[in-house]
Amino acid sequence: MANMQLNKTPMPSQEPNVRNTNFNEVALGYTEQEAINEAKRCLNCKNRPCVGGCPVKIYIPDFIAKVAEGKFEEAYDIISKSSSLPAICGRVCPQENQCEGKCVRGIKGESVAIGRLERFVADYHNERCKKWPNETKNNGHRVAVIGSGPAGLTCASDLVRRGYRVTIFEALHTPGGVLVYGIPEFRLPKAIVEKEIKGLEALGVEIKTNVVVGKTVSIEELQSEYGYEAIFIGSGAGLPKFMNIPGENLKGVFSANEFLTRINLMKAYTPESDTPILAYKKVAVVGGGNVAMDAARCAKRLGGEVYVVYRRGMEELPARHEEVEHAIEEGVIFKTLTNPVEIIARTTEDKRDPKNNSVCGMKCVEMELGEPDESGRRKPQVKENSEFVLDVDCVIMALGTSPNPLIKSTTAGLETQKWGGIVVNEDGLTSLDGIYAGGDAVTGSATVILAMGAGKTAAEAIDKYIQAKNQ
Amino acid sequence: MITHNWMVDKMYKILVKRALNPTVVLMEIEAPMVAKKAEPGQFIILRTDENGERIPLTVADYDREKGSVTIIFQTVGATTDKLARMNEGDYIHDFVGPLGKKTHTDGLKRVAVVGGGVGCAIAYPVAKKLHSLGCEVHAICGFRNKELVILEDEFKKASSKFVLMSDDGSAGEKGLVTDALKKLIESGEKYDEVITIGPLIMMKFVCALTKEYGIKTVASMNPIMVDGTGMCGGCRLTVGGKTVFACVDGPEFDGHLIDFDEAMSRSNIYADFEKHKRERDCNLLKKEVE
């Protein structure tokens, strides 16, 4: 008999006023008892809507059934068949729109906490597993993967399991892509990312950091000189967007990418790190997505008073509900229906004073919501005579990113959309033979799990392509 | 804790280290993939150690056969201090490049290369390349004093006219590079282009001068960066009223369109932080010595 408790088994987490002063993980994870209790809420229904909601098609009811029996390692084996990065997905997937959004239990009450269970199973395995997996049998074919973010790691994982020898080329000094430079430690501890990547290396994936494809080496050379039979481009969306308002180049204005990279990748908040970050007193984060929430919560942890400035209302925030809730609990102040129009400079007498031309306020206007636009969202309009100045000394622009142009500009014949996204077919194949792409490089800013889904699809297609060519 | 072996097995050896003057050091680094592609005008990003900061340094020379890249840097902050304390045989933790666009050299017949201070190290490969392409190169290099002069012989070999300037007259002529450039232009020298690399304030005045004479001028910018691949936007500049990223759109831009005042302001954002960091490191060093 299933556990008919209407709500999810709560997951313990750090107290808001404690966690907003440290970078340790916020959510602490289920105990074995809590996991079993939650797993028993699953009805194991026949048509398995949850699996349909998962971009990588994890056999969800099967692994949950094993959790309910207390057979956690068996549950892990089931997840592993479909997902290469369960400890990561269990933490950062927007489950409410995917598996959990389809869960029958969600019709009356809350859905089964699939994400929390996935996380539990992966953590259980990782804590106990002292042995790395064995290298897979080499099938003699080589594939290059560009970018070690979620798309690249998944593609590499699926290929190495089929016997391919995969080399991942990473531009930064540490592999993981957005998982290490973008998502903060308190949401996804870097040790977890590192462990998942080490697992791939044990299977036979080679990782070359400090290689910028398009600069250090071209796609064409990877094919002709280095002899890779197929290439997967998972280079992500890198280029930060700004608003093009006056004052955006003042000192104290950052892209969310820069702010988060300094903190997450460079660990600027630790005394050991040589990378600087200044302690700002009042910070405005402009934007309402997950990246904005990450930036705001990081800024809070550095000790500032933090505002999220968003032109639509609370209802329209594109960030995950859970992230918004966490930010509110931690003391982030939401200034919704507000839009910046200018960033104001402080000028000092001594022009060489670092404080000269730094941010001392942000002029904003109030907004109201009008008729729905093409996207179906109500269009924000400026309220007349509503101008005011928000007293801040730092502004972080979290307005999204567009694909990095380095590969496009150095690869002849690679077709892209007008806005820079690489054009692919349903298999992830680009306009060039043997070259596949997926993740944010194709879609523009999206989610970790969608990128993983694209990496998976491309791995399947690359396998077929190489097998067909060698018949 | 798992060891980061993807980092350890890929370090970059210091093959040669040479002090060019009391604060400027030349290093030849083993980095075959970078050496294979590097061109004048491009830059690399390095980290000295695992906790190191990523700093951009312009490529000063490269040897494709040997697989090495030369960097020349002045000790101005925590990272360059650390780097200067490393020795031949030591390994730099990370070294990535070549980044940015190469200097545009096609079709140039007569060029004045104007360098200031350690910027001369970056101007040198540009002069060398142009000279090797048969372009007439006039090189003007300025330093504060005789002690700080670098690459004098190299510049002489890479140019048909070399003018050395110093602030106090202890080396070459007394005066600023702009004085020398003005004199050459006034004497009737015609240039297709002026290429200037050095302190922002110097480049600003070089560009102001050449604007008067209507000579196209390219300035090489070296703003604060984190990733160097177009991701962070920290290196943004205003050029011709538009925001550009030095790392992917540059580092060289039309000097007559660059907002130098903004660039100068942005360049000192971490000045106080650097100062504290340096003091702390110095104190640590003192402790070690004691």
Side-chain angles (χ1 to χ4, degrees), chain B residues 13-81:
Chain B
K13 193 175 184 177
I14 301 173
L15 301 173
V16 175
K17 178 189 178 185
R18 190 151 50 93
L20 297 186
N21 76 28
T23 62
V24 174
V25 179
L26 173 148
M27 276 182 183
E28 214 179 304
I29 313 292
E30 185 173 57
M33 284 182 93
V34 185
K36 198 175 157 198
K37 286 294 180 67
E39 291 284 350
Q42 291 188 297
F43 65 95
I44 57 93
I45 282 194
L46 63 78
R47 277 200 325 158
T48 52
D49 59 278
E50 212 178 319
N51 292 317
E53 176 186 13
R54 292 172 68 95
I55 61 157
L57 290 171
T58 308
V59 170
D61 207 347
Y62 46 84
D63 186 331
R64 303 210 202 281
E65 271 169 36
K66 201 171 164 192
S68 69
V69 174
T70 303
I71 50 171
I72 297 178
F73 59 93
Q74 187 164 26
T75 50
V76 287
T79 301
T80 44
D81 259 359

Side-chain angles (χ1 to χ4, degrees), chain A residues 151 178 181 235-239 241 291 399-404 417 419-424 437-448 450-451 454:
Chain A
V178 73
Y181 77 72
S235 52
L239 236 46
K241 290 180 189 161
V291 173
L399 307 162
T401 53
S402 42
N404 196 305
Q417 314 272 4
W419 50 270
I422 299 171
V423 177
V424 296
D440 284 5
V442 167
T443 57
S445 312
T447 61
V448 167
L450 281 174

Side-chain angles (χ1 to χ4, degrees), chain A residues 256-269:
Chain A
N257 264 2
E258 178 178 0
F259 187 75
L260 290 171
T261 301
R262 282 180 184 274
I263 292 170
N264 301 324
L265 178 71
M266 307 309 296
K267 301 267 174 287
Y269 60 90

Side-chain angles (χ1 to χ4, degrees), chain A residues 79-318:
Chain A
I79 296 177
S80 293
K81 283 182 195 157
S82 326
S83 169
S84 31
L85 310 164
I88 296 170
C89 292
R91 287 173 166 82
V92 303
C93 267
Q95 290 102 4
E96 64 278 13
N97 303 326
Q98 297 176 339
C99 52
E100 293 183 15
K102 303 268 159 80
C103 178
V104 172
R105 292 296 307 264
I107 298 167
K108 195 180 165 199
E110 287 183 337
S111 65
V112 176
I114 301 168
R116 294 175 186 179
L117 289 171
E118 182 185 21
R119 169 191 163 143
F120 167 79
V121 169
D123 287 355
Y124 181 92
H125 171 82
N126 284 342
E127 269 162 37
R128 282 157 189 81
C129 172
K130 298 284 174 243
K131 242 182 69 199
W132 295 112
N134 293 325
E135 193 171 331
T136 58
K137 194 165 175 292
N138 185 344
N139 71 4
H141 298 289
R142 295 166 69 231
V143 178
V145 167
I146 300 162
S148 61
L153 291 177
T154 305
C155 186
S157 165
D158 280 21
L159 287 169
V160 75
R161 285 169 213 271
R162 292 170 205 236
Y164 291 90
R165 282 302 162 268
V166 183
T167 309
I168 301 182
F169 294 95
E170 167 56 47
L172 293 172
H173 53 263
T174 305
V178 73
L179 305 172
V180 298
Y181 77 72
I183 302 176
E185 178 77 19
F186 56 81
R187 217 148 67 72
L188 176 63
K190 301 311 151 214
I192 288 169
V193 181
E194 197 179 313
K195 185 139 189 178
E196 301 268 16
I197 293 173
K198 291 299 290 183
L200 291 185
E201 284 189 298
L203 289 170
V205 173
E206 180 191 19
I207 297 179
K208 283 192 181 293
T209 52
N210 294 329
V211 178
V212 183
V213 174
K215 286 287 173 190
T216 315
V217 67
S218 68
I219 296 261
E220 207 265 316
E221 286 167 324
L222 288 178
Q223 284 180 303
S224 59
E225 278 180 43
Y226 291 76
Y228 291 104
E229 292 167 68
I231 295 173
F232 174 75
I233 305 172
S235 52
L239 236 46
K241 290 180 189 161
F242 288 92
M243 292 185 80
N244 297 318
I245 58 173
E248 262 180 322
N249 291 351
L250 293 173
K251 282 178 272 192
V253 183
F254 300 92
S255 72
N257 264 2
E258 178 178 0
F259 187 75
L260 290 171
T261 301
R262 282 180 184 274
I263 292 170
N264 301 324
L265 178 71
M266 307 309 296
K267 301 267 174 287
Y269 60 90
T270 64
E272 297 80 36
S273 173
D274 287 343
T275 300
I277 193 135
L278 301 176
Y280 292 101
K281 290 191 187 73
K282 291 186 171 188
V283 180
V285 177
V286 182
N290 289 320
V291 173
M293 298 309 125
D294 284 346
R297 296 172 69 195
C298 281
K300 188 74 202 170
R301 281 160 174 75
L302 294 177
E305 186 170 309
V306 181
Y307 304 96
V308 165
V309 175
Y310 179 59
R311 62 193 182 128
R312 292 183 161 96
M314 286 305 282
E315 301 292 303
E316 285 80 17
L317 282 169

Side-chain angles (χ1 to χ4, degrees), chain B:
Chain B
M1 190 66 191
I2 317 146
T3 55
H4 304 241
N5 76 3
W6 60 72
M7 294 170 184
V8 194
D9 63 12
K10 290 205 58 226
M11 297 205 287
Y12 307 86
K13 193 175 184 177
I14 301 173
L15 301 173
V16 175
K17 178 189 178 185
R18 190 151 50 93
L20 297 186
N21 76 28
T23 62
V24 174
V25 179
L26 173 148
M27 276 182 183
E28 214 179 304
I29 313 292
E30 185 173 57
M33 284 182 93
V34 185
K36 198 175 157 198
K37 286 294 180 67
E39 291 284 350
Q42 291 188 297
F43 65 95
I44 57 93
I45 282 194
L46 63 78
R47 277 200 325 158
T48 52
D49 59 278
E50 212 178 319
N51 292 317
E53 176 186 13
R54 292 172 68 95
I55 61 157
L57 290 171
T58 308
V59 170
D61 207 347
Y62 46 84
D63 186 331
R64 303 210 202 281
E65 271 169 36
K66 201 171 164 192
S68 69
V69 174
T70 303
I71 50 171
I72 297 178
F73 59 93
Q74 187 164 26
T75 50
V76 287
T79 301
T80 44
D81 259 359
K82 257 191 198 173
L83 187 60
R85 286 204 292 270
M86 296 175 83
N87 290 307
E88 283 176 12
D90 289 349
Y91 289 85
I92 291 178
H93 206 282
D94 298 287
F95 193 90
V96 58
L99 300 167
K101 293 180 179 165
K102 62 180 182 181
T103 305
H104 165 81
T105 50
D106 296 348
L108 294 178
K109 298 273 181 285
R110 290 179 60 85
V111 171
V113 176
V114 183
V118 72
C120 294
I122 305 157
Y124 168 65
V126 177
K128 186 172 138 185
K129 169 107 188 230
L130 286 166
H131 187 67
S132 75
L133 292 171
C135 172
E136 175 150 356
V137 177
H138 292 181
I140 304 169
C141 295
F143 300 92
R144 283 214 309 280
N145 58 50
K146 192 177 172 208
E147 278 250 283
L148 303 179
V149 175
I150 56 170
L151 302 172
E152 188 176 350
D153 294 338
E154 285 85 347
F155 266 107
K156 281 180 182 160
K157 278 185 216 149
S159 59
S160 51
K161 190 182 287 258
F162 174 70
V163 185
L164 179 62
M165 302 296 290
S166 61
D167 293 0
D168 63 357
S170 59
E173 291 170 44
K174 182 174 173 166
L176 302 171
V177 289
T178 39
D179 301 333
L181 181 61
K182 186 168 181 166
K183 215 161 125 190
L184 285 172
I185 297 170
E186 290 281 314
S187 74
E189 296 287 358
K190 296 270 180 270
Y191 300 113
D192 307 334
E193 192 170 299
V194 170
I195 299 174
T196 182
I197 307 166
L200 288 165
I201 186 80
M202 182 203 90
M203 294 197 285
K204 176 182 169 176
F205 284 107
V206 168
C207 294
L209 176 71
T210 56
K211 197 169 183 180
E212 279 175 38
Y213 293 95
I215 306 168
K216 187 185 170 201
T217 302
V218 170
S220 176
M221 305 297 280
N222 188 17
I224 294 168
M225 286 183 192
V226 185
D227 65 295
T229 63
M231 202 181 83
C232 80
C235 65
R236 61 197 189 275
L237 304 163
T238 302
V239 177
K242 281 200 195 105
T243 295
V244 294
F245 293 172
C247 65
V248 286
D249 301 319
E252 295 181 352
F253 296 97
D254 181 338
H256 296 155
L257 300 178
I258 297 170
D259 183 341
F260 280 106
D261 293 336
E262 179 187 275
M264 279 189 266
S265 163
R266 286 181 66 80
S267 71
N268 73 0
I269 172 168
Y270 296 112
D272 289 344
F273 182 96
E274 276 284 326
K275 211 169 110 203
H276 293 147
K277 180 96 196 162
R278 224 174 164 192
E279 276 165 10
R280 203 194 68 184
D281 287 354
C282 286
N283 290 338
L284 286 175
L285 187 73
K286 268 185 235 152
K287 264 186 204 151
E288 274 174 35
V289 174
E290 279 162 17

Side-chain angles (χ1 to χ4, degrees), chain A residues 269-442:
Chain A
Y269 60 90
T270 64
E272 297 80 36
S273 173
D274 287 343
T275 300
I277 193 135
L278 301 176
Y280 292 101
K281 290 191 187 73
K282 291 186 171 188
V283 180
V285 177
V286 182
N290 289 320
V291 173
M293 298 309 125
D294 284 346
R297 296 172 69 195
C298 281
K300 188 74 202 170
R301 281 160 174 75
L302 294 177
E305 186 170 309
V306 181
Y307 304 96
V308 165
V309 175
Y310 179 59
R311 62 193 182 128
R312 292 183 161 96
M314 286 305 282
E315 301 292 303
E316 285 80 17
L317 282 169
R320 290 183 68 193
H321 182 66
E322 187 186 314
E323 302 304 326
V324 176
E325 212 144 77
H326 277 148
I328 294 172
E329 285 169 13
E330 289 167 13
V332 171
I333 302 158
F334 282 75
K335 290 252 174 219
T336 49
L337 292 168
T338 302
N339 205 29
V341 290
E342 184 186 346
I343 302 164
I344 305 163
R346 175 210 321 256
T347 46
T348 56
E349 291 215 349
D350 176 6
K351 295 289 169 242
R352 282 174 301 182
D353 182 343
K355 297 259 179 326
N356 188 43
N357 281 327
S358 61
V359 175
C360 78
M362 185 165 77
K363 201 180 279 175
C364 301
V365 285
E366 287 177 27
M367 310 293 280
E368 53 197 358
L369 292 179
E371 295 299 306
D373 62 11
E374 323 71 84
S375 72
R377 291 193 297 180
R378 292 175 65 195
K379 204 177 164 173
Q381 298 161 342
V382 177
K383 249 195 222 172
E384 267 179 59
N385 301 323
S386 63
E387 205 170 273
F388 71 101
V389 172
L390 191 61
D391 174 26
V392 292
D393 59 354
C394 173
V395 176
I396 298 166
M397 293 292 179
L399 307 162
T401 53
S402 42
N404 196 305
L406 278 183
I407 288 177
K408 176 200 162 187
S409 63
T410 53
T411 310
L414 184 69
E415 265 179 46
T416 56
Q417 314 272 4
K418 241 190 225 145
W419 50 270
I422 299 171
V423 177
V424 296
N425 72 3
E426 66 284 357
D427 287 338
L429 178 66
T430 68
S431 55
L432 296 171
D433 185 44
I435 299 178
Y436 296 75
D440 284 5
V442 167

